[in-house]
C-alpha cells in the first residue's frame, strides 16, 4: 500500500468503527475462530480496516514487553516495534535531562519509535518533528494513549525546520542495510547533519543503533558523552550527549560509558589498553552487551583481575571469583572436547551452561555454572 492509503487506514482505526473493531479483536484473544467471528461483518465492506486492525493487535502483543501498561492502548508499525527500546530506557534518559541538562523546551526530530518524545513530554514542552505524515499522526495518537499532553507533533522535513528550543533530540536508529551493517551517513537525516544541528543548538542527544562502535563519532561536533545502554542483558541503543558539561562548549574528550538497566549501574572508560589474552582459569565472565559495544571489556577485566580467554572472543577468565555488575560470572566445572555429550539444558537459572572455545589446539566445550554473589540480585 502507498503512504496515503496507510494514512487513510490509520485514521479509520481511530474512528468509532475502528475502535470497536480493535476492542472486539482484543476481547477475542488469539484463536483464529474467535477472531474470524469478530471481523466477519466487516470483511466484505472494509477489508483494509480489518487487516490493519489485526496487524495492530499483533504489534501491540509484541510491544507489550517494551511499553508495559501503555502497550495495549498505543499504535505501532512493524519498524516502530522493531526499533523501540524498553520504556525504562526513555525514562532513564528523561531523568538525565532533568538533572544534568536542565532545559524546558525540547525539539524531538525524526521521531523514530516515538518513545523518547512521549516520555519527554511528561515534563517538557516537546515539539515532535518528522517528515513522515503517518509517523506524526501515530505520535499524536500515542500521546493521548500515554497521557502526554505536552507533545506537539509537527509534519515537516527536519532538515529545514527552524528550531527555537533549548535542546534537540534526534532519533537516528534505523534498520541495518542488506549486509547487516549500518551507515549513519546514508540515514535520512544523516549523522553529520544531526551532529551539526545539536552542536549549533548547544545541547541535546542523538539516539543510534547500539552496534555502532566507539569510532562512529568524528571529531567535529564531539559529544560530551557516548553512552551504550542495555536492558536486562539486551543491547538497546547508543546515545550521544551534549550539554552535560559547560553549555555550548565542545568537549575536549568524549566520555565512553556503558549503562545497565534496570540496575542503573554505569561503567566509564578508564583509558586502559586492551586486556591480555590468557589461558582458561577457574572462572569465566560474560560481559554485558553494553560493555562490549562501548569497548569497555578491559575495564571489566581489570575489575575481576582477569584477561581475555584465548579463543573465547569477548569471554574473560580469572582464577578467583569477583563480583561485578557488568559481567556474569561462571565457575568452570568441566572441559569437554568438541562433539562430546554435553549436559541437558534446563530452565533453571542455576543450570549449567555451555561455552564453545576455539583455540590453536582445537575446539572445546566449557561446562560452567553461575556464581552467586551475596550482593548480586538473583535471577527470578
Amino acid at each position: 500500500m502507498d503512504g496515503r492509503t496507510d494514512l487513510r487506514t490509520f485514521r479509520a482505526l481511530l474512528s468509532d468503527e475502528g475502535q470497536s473493531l480493535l476492542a472486539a479483536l482484543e476481547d477475542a484473544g488469539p484463536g483464529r475462530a474467535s477472531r474470524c467471528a469478530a471481523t466477519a461483518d466487516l470483511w466484505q465492506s472494509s477489508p483494509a480496516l480489518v487487516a490493519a486492525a489485526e496487524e495492530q493487535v499483533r504489534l501491540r502483543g509484541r510491544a507489550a514487553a517494551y511499553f508495559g501498561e501503555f502497550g495495549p492502548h498505543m499504535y505501532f508499525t512493524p519498524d516502530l516495534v522493531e526499533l523501540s527500546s524498553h520504556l525504562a530506557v526513555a525514562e532513564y534518559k528523561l531523568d538525565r535531562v532533568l538533572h544534568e541538562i536542565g532545559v524546558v523546551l525540547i525539539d524531538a526530530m525524526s521521531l523514530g519509535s516515538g518513545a523518547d518524545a512521549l516520555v519527554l513530554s511528561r515534563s517538557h514542552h516537546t515539539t515532535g518533528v518528522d517528515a513522515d505524515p503517518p509517523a506524526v499522526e501515530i505520535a499524536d495518537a500515542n500521546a493521548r494513549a500515554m497521557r502526554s499532553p505536552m507533545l506537539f507533533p509537527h509534519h515537516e522535513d527536519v532538515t529545514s525546520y527552524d528550531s527555537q528550543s533549548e535542546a534537540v533530540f534526534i532519533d537516528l536508529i534505523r534498520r541495518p542495510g542488506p549486509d547487516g551493517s549500518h551507515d549513519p551517513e546514508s540515514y535520512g537525516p544523516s549523522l553529520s547533519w544531526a551532529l551539526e544541528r545539536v552542536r549549533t543548538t548547544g545541547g541535546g542527544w542523538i539516539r543510534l543503533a547500539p552496534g555502532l562502535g566507539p569510532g562512529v563519532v568524528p571529531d567535529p561536533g564531539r559529544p560530551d558523552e557516548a553512552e551504550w545502554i542495555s536492558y536486562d542483558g539486551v543491547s538497546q541503543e547508543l546515545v550521544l550527549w551534549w550539554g552535560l558539561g559547560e553549555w555550548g562548549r565542545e568537549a575536549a574528550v568524549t566520555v565512553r560509558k556503558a549503562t545497565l538497566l534496570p540496575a542503573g549501574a554505569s561503567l566509564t572508560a578508564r583509558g586502559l589498553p586492551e586486556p591480555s589474552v590468557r589461558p582458561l582459569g577457574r572462572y569465566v565472565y560474560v560481559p554485558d552487551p553494553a560493555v562490549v559495544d562501548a569497548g569497555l571489556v578491559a575495564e571489566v577485566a581489570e575489575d575481576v583481575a582477569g584477561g581475555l580467554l584465548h579463543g573465547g572472543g569477548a569471554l574473560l577468565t580469572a582464577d578467583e571469583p569477583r563480583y561485578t555488575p557488568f559481567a556474569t560470572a561462571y565457575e568452570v566445572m568441566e572441559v569437554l572436547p568438541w562433539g562430546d555429550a554435553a549436559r541437558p539444558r534446563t530452565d533453571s537459572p542455576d543450570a549449567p551452561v555451555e561455552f564453545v572455545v576455539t583455540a590453536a589446539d582445537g575446539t572445546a566445550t566449557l561446562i560452567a555454572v553461575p556464581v552467586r554473589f551475596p550482593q548480586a540480585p538473583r535471577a527470578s
Side-chain angles (χ1 to χ4, degrees), residues 73-114:
H73 310 289
M74 295 175 68
Y75 299 89
F76 301 97
T77 65
D79 273 1
L80 195 156
V81 174
E82 185 72 23
L83 302 178
S84 288
S85 294
H86 195 282
L87 191 62
V89 177
E91 292 169 339
Y92 162 78
K93 288 184 291 184
L94 172 60
D95 188 69
R96 294 204 69 181
V97 172
L98 288 169
H99 293 95
E100 298 179 61
I101 297 182
V103 295
V104 176
L105 303 177
I106 297 173
D107 284 335
M109 296 187 168
S110 189
L111 286 166
S113 74

Short mmCIF file of all heavy atoms in Angstrom, two decimals, residues 73-114:
data_model
loop_
_atom_site.label_atom_id
_atom_site.label_comp_id
_atom_site.label_asym_id
_atom_site.label_seq_id
_atom_site.Cartn_x
_atom_site.Cartn_y
_atom_site.Cartn_z
N HIS A 73 -2.79 0.14 24.40
CA HIS A 73 -3.56 1.32 24.01
C HIS A 73 -2.84 2.16 22.95
O HIS A 73 -3.38 3.17 22.50
CB HIS A 73 -3.85 2.19 25.23
CG HIS A 73 -4.42 1.43 26.39
ND1 HIS A 73 -5.72 0.92 26.38
CD2 HIS A 73 -3.87 1.04 27.56
CE1 HIS A 73 -5.94 0.28 27.51
NE2 HIS A 73 -4.84 0.33 28.25
N MET A 74 -1.64 1.73 22.55
CA MET A 74 -0.84 2.50 21.62
C MET A 74 -0.99 1.97 20.20
O MET A 74 -1.60 0.92 19.97
CB MET A 74 0.62 2.48 22.06
CG MET A 74 0.87 3.19 23.39
SD MET A 74 2.59 3.02 23.96
CE MET A 74 3.45 3.99 22.71
N TYR A 75 -0.39 2.69 19.26
CA TYR A 75 -0.44 2.32 17.85
C TYR A 75 1.00 2.17 17.34
O TYR A 75 1.89 2.94 17.71
CB TYR A 75 -1.19 3.38 17.04
CG TYR A 75 -2.62 3.52 17.50
CD1 TYR A 75 -2.94 4.43 18.52
CD2 TYR A 75 -3.63 2.74 16.96
CE1 TYR A 75 -4.25 4.55 18.97
CE2 TYR A 75 -4.93 2.85 17.42
CZ TYR A 75 -5.23 3.75 18.42
OH TYR A 75 -6.52 3.86 18.87
N PHE A 76 1.19 1.15 16.50
CA PHE A 76 2.54 0.79 16.09
C PHE A 76 2.60 0.48 14.60
O PHE A 76 1.58 0.17 13.96
CB PHE A 76 3.02 -0.44 16.88
CG PHE A 76 3.03 -0.26 18.36
CD1 PHE A 76 1.96 -0.70 19.14
CD2 PHE A 76 4.09 0.35 18.99
CE1 PHE A 76 1.96 -0.53 20.51
CE2 PHE A 76 4.10 0.53 20.37
CZ PHE A 76 3.03 0.09 21.13
N THR A 77 3.82 0.54 14.09
CA THR A 77 4.16 -0.04 12.80
C THR A 77 5.20 -1.13 13.08
O THR A 77 5.81 -1.13 14.16
CB THR A 77 4.75 1.00 11.84
OG1 THR A 77 6.01 1.45 12.37
CG2 THR A 77 3.82 2.19 11.67
N PRO A 78 5.45 -2.04 12.15
CA PRO A 78 6.50 -3.04 12.40
C PRO A 78 7.85 -2.41 12.73
O PRO A 78 8.55 -2.87 13.64
CB PRO A 78 6.53 -3.83 11.09
CG PRO A 78 5.13 -3.73 10.56
CD PRO A 78 4.69 -2.33 10.91
N ASP A 79 8.23 -1.34 12.01
CA ASP A 79 9.50 -0.69 12.30
C ASP A 79 9.51 -0.06 13.69
O ASP A 79 10.51 -0.10 14.40
CB ASP A 79 9.80 0.39 11.26
CG ASP A 79 10.51 -0.17 10.03
OD1 ASP A 79 10.75 -1.39 9.99
OD2 ASP A 79 10.82 0.61 9.12
N LEU A 80 8.39 0.54 14.07
CA LEU A 80 8.33 1.18 15.38
C LEU A 80 8.59 0.17 16.49
O LEU A 80 9.34 0.44 17.43
CB LEU A 80 6.97 1.86 15.56
CG LEU A 80 6.81 2.87 16.68
CD1 LEU A 80 5.68 3.84 16.38
CD2 LEU A 80 6.58 2.21 18.03
N VAL A 81 8.00 -1.01 16.38
CA VAL A 81 8.22 -2.05 17.39
C VAL A 81 9.66 -2.56 17.30
O VAL A 81 10.35 -2.70 18.32
CB VAL A 81 7.22 -3.22 17.20
CG1 VAL A 81 7.55 -4.36 18.16
CG2 VAL A 81 5.79 -2.74 17.43
N GLU A 82 10.12 -2.83 16.10
CA GLU A 82 11.45 -3.41 15.90
C GLU A 82 12.55 -2.50 16.43
O GLU A 82 13.56 -2.96 16.97
CB GLU A 82 11.68 -3.68 14.42
CG GLU A 82 12.97 -4.39 14.09
CD GLU A 82 12.97 -5.86 14.50
OE1 GLU A 82 11.86 -6.44 14.62
OE2 GLU A 82 14.06 -6.41 14.70
N LEU A 83 12.37 -1.19 16.29
CA LEU A 83 13.43 -0.24 16.63
C LEU A 83 13.22 0.41 17.99
O LEU A 83 13.96 1.32 18.35
CB LEU A 83 13.51 0.85 15.55
CG LEU A 83 13.78 0.34 14.12
CD1 LEU A 83 13.80 1.49 13.13
CD2 LEU A 83 15.09 -0.43 14.06
N SER A 84 12.24 -0.05 18.74
CA SER A 84 11.99 0.53 20.06
C SER A 84 12.97 -0.02 21.10
O SER A 84 13.42 -1.15 21.01
CB SER A 84 10.56 0.20 20.53
OG SER A 84 9.60 0.94 19.81
N SER A 85 13.27 0.83 22.06
CA SER A 85 13.94 0.39 23.27
C SER A 85 12.88 0.21 24.35
O SER A 85 11.73 0.63 24.20
CB SER A 85 14.98 1.42 23.72
OG SER A 85 16.03 1.52 22.79
N HIS A 86 13.27 -0.41 25.44
CA HIS A 86 12.35 -0.54 26.57
C HIS A 86 11.98 0.85 27.08
O HIS A 86 12.81 1.78 27.08
CB HIS A 86 13.01 -1.36 27.68
CG HIS A 86 12.06 -1.85 28.71
ND1 HIS A 86 11.57 -1.05 29.72
CD2 HIS A 86 11.47 -3.07 28.90
CE1 HIS A 86 10.75 -1.75 30.48
NE2 HIS A 86 10.67 -2.97 30.01
N LEU A 87 10.75 1.00 27.52
CA LEU A 87 10.29 2.29 28.03
C LEU A 87 11.17 2.79 29.16
O LEU A 87 11.38 4.00 29.32
CB LEU A 87 8.84 2.17 28.51
CG LEU A 87 8.11 3.49 28.82
CD1 LEU A 87 7.99 4.35 27.59
CD2 LEU A 87 6.72 3.18 29.39
N ALA A 88 11.74 1.88 29.95
CA ALA A 88 12.62 2.28 31.05
C ALA A 88 13.86 3.01 30.55
O ALA A 88 14.43 3.82 31.28
CB ALA A 88 13.04 1.05 31.86
N VAL A 89 14.29 2.74 29.32
CA VAL A 89 15.45 3.44 28.76
C VAL A 89 15.09 4.90 28.53
O VAL A 89 15.88 5.81 28.86
CB VAL A 89 15.91 2.77 27.45
CG1 VAL A 89 17.07 3.54 26.84
CG2 VAL A 89 16.30 1.32 27.71
N ALA A 90 13.93 5.17 27.94
CA ALA A 90 13.50 6.55 27.74
C ALA A 90 13.31 7.27 29.08
O ALA A 90 13.65 8.45 29.21
CB ALA A 90 12.20 6.58 26.94
N GLU A 91 12.80 6.56 30.07
CA GLU A 91 12.61 7.18 31.40
C GLU A 91 13.95 7.48 32.06
O GLU A 91 14.11 8.51 32.73
CB GLU A 91 11.76 6.25 32.27
CG GLU A 91 10.32 6.15 31.77
CD GLU A 91 9.52 5.06 32.44
OE1 GLU A 91 10.16 4.12 32.99
OE2 GLU A 91 8.28 5.13 32.43
N TYR A 92 14.92 6.61 31.86
CA TYR A 92 16.26 6.86 32.39
C TYR A 92 16.86 8.11 31.74
O TYR A 92 17.46 8.97 32.42
CB TYR A 92 17.16 5.65 32.12
CG TYR A 92 18.64 5.93 32.21
CD1 TYR A 92 19.28 6.04 33.44
CD2 TYR A 92 19.40 6.08 31.05
CE1 TYR A 92 20.63 6.31 33.51
CE2 TYR A 92 20.76 6.35 31.12
CZ TYR A 92 21.38 6.47 32.35
OH TYR A 92 22.72 6.74 32.42
N LYS A 93 16.68 8.25 30.43
CA LYS A 93 17.23 9.42 29.74
C LYS A 93 16.51 10.70 30.18
O LYS A 93 17.14 11.75 30.31
CB LYS A 93 17.13 9.24 28.23
CG LYS A 93 18.12 8.20 27.70
CD LYS A 93 18.09 8.10 26.20
CE LYS A 93 16.80 7.47 25.72
NZ LYS A 93 16.79 7.27 24.24
N LEU A 94 15.19 10.61 30.41
CA LEU A 94 14.48 11.77 30.92
C LEU A 94 15.06 12.22 32.26
O LEU A 94 15.22 13.42 32.51
CB LEU A 94 12.99 11.44 31.08
CG LEU A 94 12.13 12.49 31.80
CD1 LEU A 94 12.15 13.81 31.05
CD2 LEU A 94 10.71 11.99 31.98
N ASP A 95 15.40 11.28 33.11
CA ASP A 95 16.00 11.62 34.40
C ASP A 95 17.31 12.36 34.21
O ASP A 95 17.60 13.34 34.91
CB ASP A 95 16.21 10.34 35.23
CG ASP A 95 16.64 10.65 36.65
OD1 ASP A 95 15.81 11.18 37.41
OD2 ASP A 95 17.80 10.36 37.00
N ARG A 96 18.10 11.94 33.22
CA ARG A 96 19.36 12.64 32.94
C ARG A 96 19.09 14.05 32.42
O ARG A 96 19.81 15.00 32.77
CB ARG A 96 20.20 11.87 31.93
CG ARG A 96 20.70 10.52 32.41
CD ARG A 96 21.95 10.09 31.66
NE ARG A 96 23.09 10.93 32.01
CZ ARG A 96 24.31 10.79 31.50
NH1 ARG A 96 24.54 9.86 30.58
NH2 ARG A 96 25.30 11.58 31.84
N VAL A 97 18.10 14.18 31.56
CA VAL A 97 17.76 15.50 31.05
C VAL A 97 17.35 16.43 32.19
O VAL A 97 17.79 17.59 32.27
CB VAL A 97 16.62 15.40 30.01
CG1 VAL A 97 16.12 16.80 29.61
CG2 VAL A 97 17.09 14.66 28.77
N LEU A 98 16.53 15.93 33.11
CA LEU A 98 16.06 16.75 34.22
C LEU A 98 17.20 17.19 35.14
O LEU A 98 17.24 18.34 35.58
CB LEU A 98 15.02 15.96 35.03
CG LEU A 98 13.65 15.76 34.38
CD1 LEU A 98 12.83 14.76 35.18
CD2 LEU A 98 12.91 17.08 34.28
N HIS A 99 18.12 16.27 35.42
CA HIS A 99 19.13 16.53 36.44
C HIS A 99 20.47 17.00 35.90
O HIS A 99 21.27 17.58 36.64
CB HIS A 99 19.34 15.28 37.30
CG HIS A 99 18.15 14.92 38.13
ND1 HIS A 99 17.21 14.00 37.73
CD2 HIS A 99 17.73 15.37 39.33
CE1 HIS A 99 16.27 13.89 38.64
NE2 HIS A 99 16.56 14.70 39.63
N GLU A 100 20.73 16.77 34.61
CA GLU A 100 22.06 17.11 34.09
C GLU A 100 22.03 18.14 32.96
O GLU A 100 23.04 18.81 32.72
CB GLU A 100 22.77 15.84 33.60
CG GLU A 100 22.99 14.83 34.72
CD GLU A 100 23.69 13.57 34.21
OE1 GLU A 100 24.82 13.68 33.71
OE2 GLU A 100 23.08 12.48 34.29
N ILE A 101 20.92 18.24 32.25
CA ILE A 101 20.84 19.24 31.17
C ILE A 101 19.96 20.40 31.62
O ILE A 101 20.30 21.56 31.42
CB ILE A 101 20.32 18.61 29.87
CG1 ILE A 101 21.32 17.54 29.38
CG2 ILE A 101 20.12 19.67 28.79
CD1 ILE A 101 20.93 16.88 28.07
N GLY A 102 18.81 20.12 32.19
CA GLY A 102 18.01 21.15 32.83
C GLY A 102 17.39 22.17 31.90
O GLY A 102 17.45 23.37 32.16
N VAL A 103 16.77 21.70 30.80
CA VAL A 103 16.09 22.60 29.87
C VAL A 103 14.59 22.38 29.97
O VAL A 103 14.13 21.41 30.58
CB VAL A 103 16.57 22.38 28.43
CG1 VAL A 103 18.04 22.76 28.28
CG2 VAL A 103 16.33 20.94 27.98
N VAL A 104 13.82 23.27 29.33
CA VAL A 104 12.36 23.17 29.37
C VAL A 104 11.79 22.87 27.99
O VAL A 104 10.92 22.01 27.84
CB VAL A 104 11.75 24.48 29.93
CG1 VAL A 104 10.22 24.42 29.86
CG2 VAL A 104 12.22 24.73 31.35
N LEU A 105 12.29 23.55 26.96
CA LEU A 105 11.76 23.41 25.60
C LEU A 105 12.66 22.49 24.79
O LEU A 105 13.87 22.75 24.67
CB LEU A 105 11.67 24.78 24.92
CG LEU A 105 10.83 25.84 25.65
CD1 LEU A 105 10.89 27.17 24.90
CD2 LEU A 105 9.40 25.38 25.81
N ILE A 106 12.09 21.41 24.24
CA ILE A 106 12.87 20.42 23.51
C ILE A 106 12.20 20.14 22.17
O ILE A 106 10.98 20.00 22.09
CB ILE A 106 12.99 19.11 24.32
CG1 ILE A 106 13.74 19.36 25.63
CG2 ILE A 106 13.70 18.03 23.51
CD1 ILE A 106 13.77 18.16 26.56
N ASP A 107 13.01 20.04 21.12
CA ASP A 107 12.54 19.57 19.82
C ASP A 107 12.98 18.12 19.65
O ASP A 107 14.17 17.81 19.80
CB ASP A 107 13.12 20.40 18.67
CG ASP A 107 12.44 21.75 18.55
OD1 ASP A 107 11.28 21.86 18.98
OD2 ASP A 107 13.07 22.69 18.02
N ALA A 108 12.03 17.24 19.37
CA ALA A 108 12.33 15.84 19.07
C ALA A 108 12.23 15.67 17.56
O ALA A 108 11.14 15.76 16.99
CB ALA A 108 11.35 14.91 19.77
N MET A 109 13.36 15.47 16.91
CA MET A 109 13.41 15.44 15.45
C MET A 109 13.59 14.02 14.95
O MET A 109 14.40 13.27 15.50
CB MET A 109 14.54 16.33 14.94
CG MET A 109 14.36 17.80 15.26
SD MET A 109 15.61 18.79 14.47
CE MET A 109 14.94 20.43 14.72
N SER A 110 12.88 13.70 13.87
CA SER A 110 12.90 12.35 13.31
C SER A 110 12.43 11.40 14.41
O SER A 110 13.22 10.78 15.10
CB SER A 110 14.30 11.97 12.81
OG SER A 110 14.28 10.76 12.10
N LEU A 111 11.12 11.27 14.54
CA LEU A 111 10.52 10.68 15.73
C LEU A 111 10.93 9.24 16.00
O LEU A 111 10.95 8.79 17.14
CB LEU A 111 8.99 10.77 15.63
CG LEU A 111 8.44 12.17 15.84
CD1 LEU A 111 7.00 12.26 15.40
CD2 LEU A 111 8.59 12.61 17.28
N GLY A 112 11.27 8.47 14.96
CA GLY A 112 11.67 7.09 15.17
C GLY A 112 10.57 6.32 15.88
O GLY A 112 9.40 6.35 15.48
N SER A 113 10.91 5.64 16.96
CA SER A 113 9.91 4.87 17.69
C SER A 113 8.91 5.76 18.40
O SER A 113 7.81 5.33 18.75
CB SER A 113 10.59 3.97 18.72
OG SER A 113 11.06 4.73 19.82
N GLY A 114 9.28 7.02 18.66
CA GLY A 114 8.39 7.94 19.33
C GLY A 114 8.42 7.87 20.84
O GLY A 114 7.88 8.75 21.52
#
